[in-house]
Amino acid sequence: MTVETGGLVDQSKNNITTTVKHVNNRVRYGNKTEKKNRSYKKMRREVVFPRVPDVLQQLFVSCTQIFRGPGFVPPASDVNNLCDIIDKMKPEDVGLSKNLQFFKPTGAVNGTPRVTYTTIYQCDQFSLCIFFLPETAVIPLHNHPEMTVFSKLLLGKMHIKSYDWVEPKDSKPPSKLRLARLKANSVYTAPCNTSVLYPTTGGNIHQFTAVTPCAVLDVLGPPYSKEDDRDCSYYKDFPYSAFSNEGETTRVNEEEREGLGWLEEIEAPENAVMDRIDYLGPQIMENY
């Protein structure tokens, strides 16, 4: 789940080209504008970056003001303000459109569909990235250590399952299984409101499954970092009834059991591997 900074725009033969398509299990993503001047019987080509939408620039500026590092949870007023900005964002603000071929599959993808991601911006305090999921693709159950994450489904339909730990962070479960509380287990269809998860609440451990081809905008504060011990851990979940009384530290009544499950940490599964592509949409202005 580690994400890196994106790249630049390449030249194109068309005046305006916007593409996202599934080729050899990879997404080709771009937003290019090209000016042509036919004077002196020669064709002059110049690539022009799309103008940054106000809402995307506003998102960047707000993130620079809100995020303060690992474990920092923005106050409710800042969370609400950032949600208001992200709620307004449309696919076009990052160079996407529901008319792109990637979001109009012509048939089933051969083999295990791979997730692709691109990074709009990244620094030590936060990152802005987009994940592209072909139909039936899965981002497996994983956590977000010491992070606050804002997610916005830009396009498509997606099933989201998420958990929070029941035990305190410093507890020592007697087995490899840990009790967790189910926070979400529903299908979401774009456009929908921004969801927020926190370092220990809000569904910090979640899984995405694409019902249709999807694009998800994620704002992570701070981003993953192996050097800072914020690496991604993966889990397998089991229903509560599968391991009755396994490692329980508190008594659980019948009504509460329906919202509980057991999580086991596992090695990174095969479908955790992602393809990275350059971000070719509107470019954020860092010097504002």
Side-chain angles (χ1 to χ4, degrees):
M1 293 291 292
T2 302
V3 291
E4 304 170 10
T5 305
L8 301 177
V9 173
D10 296 325
Q11 290 189 352
S12 168
K13 294 182 180 179
N14 300 322
N15 287 336
I16 299 177
T17 303
T18 305
T19 58
V20 173
K21 56 185 178 180
H22 204 234
V23 180
N24 296 328
N25 284 333
R26 292 176 181 269
V27 175
R28 298 291 181 258
Y29 168 75
N31 192 326
K32 313 172 187 179
T33 303
E34 183 183 83
K35 292 184 177 180
K36 295 182 179 180
N37 184 345
R38 297 180 180 274
S39 61
Y40 303 103
K41 298 181 180 180
K42 293 182 180 180
M43 189 185 333
R44 180 183 176 185
R45 293 185 177 92
E46 179 184 358
V47 175
V48 178
F49 288 101
R51 178 184 177 275
V52 58
D54 291 340
V55 68
L56 179 58
Q57 186 66 25
Q58 187 180 4
L59 173 61
F60 167 73
V61 173
S62 296
C63 287
T64 63
Q65 299 170 344
I66 289 174
F67 292 108
R68 297 288 183 270
F72 173 79
V73 178
S77 57
D78 286 342
V79 169
N80 292 336
N81 288 338
L82 200 55
C83 283
D84 287 342
I85 295 172
I86 301 174
D87 284 344
K88 297 174 185 176
M89 295 195 68
K90 301 177 181 179
E92 293 77 12
D93 295 321
V94 290
L96 297 177
S97 168
K98 63 182 179 181
N99 295 322
L100 299 175
Q101 187 59 42
F102 177 76
F103 302 104
K104 294 182 176 181
T106 57
V109 177
N110 294 326
T112 303
R114 289 276 285 268
V115 176
T116 303
Y117 74 91
T118 189
T119 303
I120 302 172
Y121 181 86
Q122 179 166 317
C123 63
D124 291 340
Q125 302 300 318
F126 67 92
S127 67
L128 311 177
C129 53
I130 305 172
F131 295 91
F132 300 99
L133 289 78
E135 186 175 350
T136 74
V138 177
I139 298 180
L141 200 62
H142 63 282
N143 68 344
H144 305 79
E146 301 184 85
M147 300 161 65
T148 302
V149 180
F150 297 73
S151 293
K152 164 83 170 183
L153 182 62
L154 295 172
L155 287 166
K157 182 181 293 186
M158 172 182 290
H159 179 267
I160 300 177
K161 177 186 279 190
S162 66
Y163 292 92
D164 285 328
W165 296 122
V166 170
E167 301 94 341
K169 182 179 178 181
D170 58 355
S171 66
K172 296 180 179 180
S175 75
K176 61 183 180 179
L177 297 170
R178 287 188 64 181
L179 192 61
R181 180 170 285 106
L182 188 67
K183 302 297 292 185
N185 189 23
S186 302
V187 173
Y188 298 83
T189 302
C192 55
N193 292 334
T194 304
S195 63
V196 187
L197 62 84
Y198 301 92
T200 59
T201 60
N204 186 277
I205 305 165
H206 69 198
Q207 173 177 293
F208 291 164
T209 304
V211 179
T212 68
C214 297
V216 184
L217 171 68
D218 262 12
V219 179
L220 301 93
Y224 287 104
S225 172
K226 290 184 179 180
E227 294 76 12
D228 298 320
D229 294 325
R230 288 196 309 279
D231 199 6
C232 189
S233 298
Y234 294 92
Y235 300 90
K236 182 177 181 180
D237 61 337
F238 302 91
Y240 179 84
S241 58
F243 301 95
S244 179
N245 300 321
E246 180 73 25
E248 278 190 54
T249 57
T250 58
R251 297 185 63 182
V252 179
N253 60 43
E254 291 291 336
E255 184 177 348
E256 290 178 319
R257 291 181 183 184
E258 293 184 3
L260 297 177
W262 298 103
L263 302 189
E264 176 186 2
E265 186 170 348
I266 60 175
E267 295 295 326
E270 181 180 350
N271 58 351
V273 179
M274 300 184 184
D275 296 322
R276 175 185 175 274
I277 59 173
D278 291 340
Y279 172 69
L280 304 176
Q283 304 293 307
I284 284 171
M285 295 183 294
E286 293 188 58
N287 300 319
Y288 55 91

